[in-house]
Amino acid sequence: MSSPPRRKNMRWEDRGRQILEEAVRFFAECGFEGQTRELAKRLGVSHAVIYRHFDNKEALIERVYEHVYTRRWRSSWEELIADRSLTLEERLIRFYREYADCVFEYEWVRIFISSGLKSYGLPERYLAIIRSRIIRPAVAEMRHDLGLVPRLPSEAEEELFWGLHGAVFYLAIRKYVYATDIPEDIGNTVSRTVRAFMPGLRIQLPLLD
């Protein structure tokens, strides 16, 4: 019986990157309840190798969060929402088209949903970023457009814009969670979604003032 092939030695940094990239695929498929022993088996390394690079499973999950979510955030999105040289509708269309290009992928969506179901707290952290950097500024910009007195957005005002955000993200859920067909041209679909929401937002927001 032939012995198994020897595992190729890798540089420390390369091995850590390999573990992280495989962990992203593994957790997207299995959720964060997936066992690191199974991850090690997929990698063809011992269980101990993973923990030489990451102190524990929680540390690995944190790195997955940073790799999949934090590093993809673009500061230009925040600047875009505040750019009054464009109409708010134009800004939101451009943001959500770029956002869809960035996050509409298997690993991003599956990890986001499964971590929320298992109470790992990652979606709450990410949605707090969406709220502070996109939702609240968008409410403030619409109040400005409508000539309303500047003030902190109310919960009800924020919910109007969460409705738009959810409508865009639901396209990704349909594709990567429910495995149902969605339009091939995501960009135009997103643009139509924003345009459909805008008249209702402009009507409803003054009623909440």
Side-chain angles (χ1 to χ4, degrees):
M1 180 177 178
S2 60
S3 58
R6 293 184 62 188
R7 198 167 55 244
K8 181 181 178 181
N9 290 329
M10 298 179 68
R11 293 190 309 168
W12 177 267
E13 296 82 1
D14 293 338
R15 178 66 75 190
R17 188 180 307 111
Q18 181 200 38
I19 292 170
L20 176 60
E21 291 174 352
E22 185 60 36
V24 170
R25 290 187 286 268
F26 176 70
F27 289 134
E29 178 184 336
C30 302
F32 285 137
E33 66 269 29
Q35 298 299 307
T36 51
R37 289 189 183 278
E38 180 60 31
L39 173 60
K41 187 182 301 183
R42 292 192 182 198
L43 286 161
V45 301
S46 70
H47 194 219
V49 168
I50 293 177
Y51 290 114
R52 283 202 288 269
H53 289 267
F54 301 93
D55 290 340
N56 48 47
K57 185 177 179 180
E58 289 69 28
L60 177 58
I61 288 173
E62 183 64 26
R63 283 291 305 281
V64 167
Y65 173 77
E66 293 173 0
H67 184 74
V68 177
Y69 300 99
T70 306
R71 75 180 180 88
R72 298 190 189 189
W73 187 264
R74 303 176 188 173
S75 60
S76 60
W77 289 338
E78 300 161 53
E79 298 166 4
L80 172 62
I81 296 300
D83 182 4
R84 291 178 180 172
S85 69
L86 303 170
T87 68
L88 183 56
E89 181 175 293
E90 290 171 329
R91 287 176 260 170
L92 289 172
I93 287 174
R94 186 178 298 181
F95 165 69
Y96 278 113
R97 288 178 70 114
E98 292 182 12
Y99 185 74
D101 285 341
C102 184
V103 309
F104 276 36
E105 63 175 44
Y106 180 85
E107 288 85 2
W108 199 105
V109 176
R110 299 277 301 191
I111 290 173
F112 190 84
I113 297 300
S114 65
S115 63
L117 293 173
K118 295 299 178 181
S119 302
Y120 277 92
L122 303 188
E124 290 88 341
R125 288 163 56 185
Y126 186 79
L127 290 176
I129 294 173
I130 295 291
R131 182 189 184 210
S132 64
R133 301 182 188 181
I134 301 297
I135 299 294
R136 285 189 159 189
V139 173
E141 289 302 305
M142 180 161 282
R143 289 187 64 84
H144 174 270
D145 284 359
L146 296 171
L148 301 175
V149 176
R151 62 168 172 76
L152 287 176
S154 68
E155 182 180 80
E157 289 173 326
E158 291 181 22
E159 281 301 312
L160 293 176
F161 283 82
W162 277 120
L164 170 58
H165 189 84
V168 172
F169 188 59
Y170 187 63
L171 290 167
I173 293 176
R174 282 166 55 194
K175 181 173 183 178
Y176 295 113
V177 177
Y178 300 144
T180 59
D181 292 335
I182 63 173
E184 291 186 12
D185 191 338
I186 296 298
N188 280 337
T189 302
V190 167
S191 297
R192 288 192 296 269
T193 300
V194 174
R195 292 191 187 103
F197 264 80
M198 290 303 288
L201 292 173
R202 291 186 177 280
I203 292 171
Q204 291 297 318
L205 195 138
L207 300 178
L208 301 173
D209 194 39

